[in-house]
Amino acid sequence: MGSATIDRKFRTARAAVFAAFTLNGVLLAMWVVHIPAITDRAGVSASMLSVLVLLMAGAALVGMRLAGPAADRFGSRTLVATAASAISVTVLGPGLATSPITLAIAVACFGFGMGALDVSMNTQAVYVERAYHRPIMSAFHAMFSAGGFVGSLAGAAAQYAQWPPQLTLTCAGIAGLVVTAALVPHLLGRQQPESPSHLEDYDNEGARSANSARERPTADPSEPADLRHCTDASNSTGSLTATSGPAASVRPRAENRTDQHGDRHQRARKVLSLGAVAFVLLLAEGVAADWSALQVRERLDTSEADAALAFGAFSATMTLGRFLADRVTGAIGPVAIVRYGSLLAAAGFAVVIGSPWLPLTLLGWAMCGLGLAGGVPQIFSTAGNLGGTTAATDMSRVFTIGYLGLLAGPAMIGWLTAVIPLTAALTVPLVLTLACAATANVVSR
């Protein structure tokens, strides 16, 4: 479907969701770049900071877990408005903290809002993608990366100008509230576009095996539950209107309950499988983000400036890959994106492990960034298009499992470095990304 045929409402909604992802990245970066000044003001040691980071991550997990059902019940537009406003206000909290206790409370509130916004804005992204009938999810995640880059530059500029963190974070929060007020009216409401009826629009590789499911109607979240159940029952039995008597009324209902139970069981398995793949890909991403610079410094004995190029290579190719991934996904399908992207990431880790030269090592980290760029957005998009009226809940479950991988990956590598060299420990994400390539069919729709 060409952009000229897209309703203006959906084009505006797409821009609004872009703004939400960018805002999320900007505000997160504003907190990160001010960590040294904030911890000095609050009297927090490096070891205590690690505890606070885990606390923030735990609060984000809680926010993600609660945001899914809340978005399904009240609408993701309402939740985006609430969560975006919350992080715009709570981003100031760390800057005002004067003790470890107050800083802990501040980062917990900020993390909770970030987790809730992650789920709700990705749910909106799924709705917009349905309206476009082509892959656009990766571009939203690219805007988050771009927002992080913009936020880091803005924070660095404020520090260079010797602005106190309180002033910088206050300005960031006010800007966040203004952006939120501007974008929320353009988000999609309770009446959402249906999931695409032609699966080849999303999955060229898996469409042929799902032709029989094309005629199944998609439930409308805004439709009353009683009417929706009656529609499902009549569609599943076909002859219900042509048959009378107790047997005709009881048998289809029992069959429908059985079908619904089977659908829920199948959905749970699908969500768990998507979460497992997200866990691995985000684990690999976390390892690359947190350990790439140190790996270069320890393995090649380089300067800190040269070591920093490793993370730069990884993040640059990941951002570029996410801007390009939607077009590639439209051509080859999400299964191929996950499969070949995982293989490319595994090859990148192999290059990093075996390379004795800085340019080749930087190439390996760049391959990792490019390979991991498109997989996670496709997983989230698949989770949001499982059908039914629980898209946000399904996504929140996949988010939670995947986010655990983002946290566990760097910690796992840290534990392994106590017994083996850091470079050797990278065989863990190498093997796991190969496993992802083998199980890529999980994103088939």
Side-chain angles (χ1 to χ4, degrees):
M1 182 180 293
S3 59
T5 62
I6 299 295
D7 189 282
R8 180 180 179 182
K9 173 180 67 175
F10 298 130
R11 294 199 300 270
T12 305
R14 184 187 187 188
V17 180
F18 274 146
F21 274 81
T22 305
L23 176 64
N24 197 0
V26 168
L27 293 181
L28 179 61
M30 294 298 287
W31 143 251
V32 170
V33 299
H34 286 95
I35 285 178
I38 289 171
T39 53
D40 287 345
R41 173 184 168 87
V44 171
S45 64
S47 58
M48 177 61 70
L49 177 61
S50 64
V51 175
L52 293 177
V53 170
L54 286 177
L55 175 63
M56 180 176 172
L61 286 173
V62 175
M64 291 176 187
R65 195 66 185 88
L66 296 178
D72 286 330
R73 180 173 182 178
F74 302 108
S76 57
R77 178 168 65 183
T78 300
L79 200 61
V80 168
T82 303
S85 299
I87 66 169
S88 297
V89 173
T90 56
V91 71
L92 177 59
L96 298 177
T98 56
S99 69
I101 297 297
T102 55
L103 184 56
I105 295 171
V107 298
C109 294
F110 184 60
F112 182 89
M114 293 291 291
L117 183 58
D118 273 339
V119 171
S120 55
M121 70 183 183
N122 272 279
T123 304
Q124 278 285 318
V126 167
Y127 295 155
V128 174
E129 187 177 55
R130 289 179 188 174
Y132 270 71
H133 291 279
R134 61 181 173 85
I136 58 174
M137 178 64 79
S138 294
F140 292 121
H141 288 253
M143 293 305 295
F144 172 80
S145 301
F149 179 70
V150 171
S152 63
L153 289 181
Q159 290 177 323
Y160 182 77
Q162 297 185 342
W163 285 17
Q166 297 91 331
L167 176 59
T168 306
L169 295 176
T170 298
C171 292
I174 293 173
L177 290 173
V178 171
V179 171
T180 300
L183 70 87
V184 167
H186 303 292
L187 297 176
L188 297 180
R190 304 280 295 189
Q191 183 76 22
Q192 307 302 346
E194 293 185 352
S195 298
S197 58
H198 297 288
L199 297 183
E200 60 266 24
D201 289 344
Y202 284 90
D203 186 0
N204 292 343
E205 186 170 336
R208 290 185 297 273
S209 63
N211 286 336
S212 61
R214 289 184 178 177
E215 301 303 323
R216 182 179 299 170
T218 303
D220 188 342
S222 64
E223 186 179 24
D226 293 340
L227 177 59
R228 186 162 60 248
H229 292 163
C230 291
T231 303
D232 291 342
S234 62
N235 286 338
S236 64
T237 59
S239 60
L240 179 60
T241 58
T243 308
S244 60
S249 61
V250 173
R251 193 181 305 115
R253 292 179 183 176
E255 292 173 356
N256 191 41
R257 285 195 297 269
T258 302
D259 291 343
Q260 289 175 350
H261 177 74
D263 288 343
R264 285 195 298 269
H265 188 61
Q266 184 177 8
R267 179 194 298 273
R269 289 201 308 267
K270 184 77 169 181
V271 167
L272 183 60
S273 299
L274 290 169
V277 177
F279 180 94
V280 170
L281 293 181
L282 287 172
L283 180 150
E285 182 178 334
V287 168
D290 289 5
W291 290 101
S292 55
L294 187 59
Q295 184 274 332
V296 169
R297 185 177 179 184
E298 288 190 359
R299 165 79 169 175
L300 305 179
D301 193 24
T302 65
S303 66
E304 291 184 0
D306 286 341
L309 294 175
F311 176 71
F314 170 78
S315 59
T317 54
M318 171 164 278
T319 302
L320 176 64
R322 284 180 171 170
F323 276 118
L324 300 176
D326 289 328
R327 188 174 296 273
V328 179
T329 303
I332 65 177
V335 174
I337 285 288
V338 174
R339 175 172 292 127
Y340 299 123
S342 298
L343 289 174
L344 180 60
F349 281 116
V351 169
V352 168
I353 291 170
S355 170
W357 305 296
L358 178 62
L360 186 58
T361 301
L362 295 180
L363 175 62
W365 285 118
M367 292 168 62
C368 289
L370 190 61
L372 295 172
V376 171
Q378 301 312 312
I379 293 170
F380 292 159
S381 179
T382 301
N385 282 291
L386 295 180
T389 60
T390 58
T393 300
D394 295 336
M395 290 185 66
S396 71
R397 290 168 178 166
V398 174
F399 256 98
T400 302
I401 299 172
Y403 195 72
L404 287 173
L406 190 65
L407 297 176
M412 181 188 305
I413 297 301
W415 297 330
L416 288 175
T417 57
V419 292
I420 60 176
L422 171 57
T423 299
L426 296 181
T427 54
V428 172
L430 189 160
V431 171
L432 291 177
T433 48
L434 287 175
C436 261
T439 58
N441 280 332
V442 71
V443 298
S444 179
R445 302 173 197 171

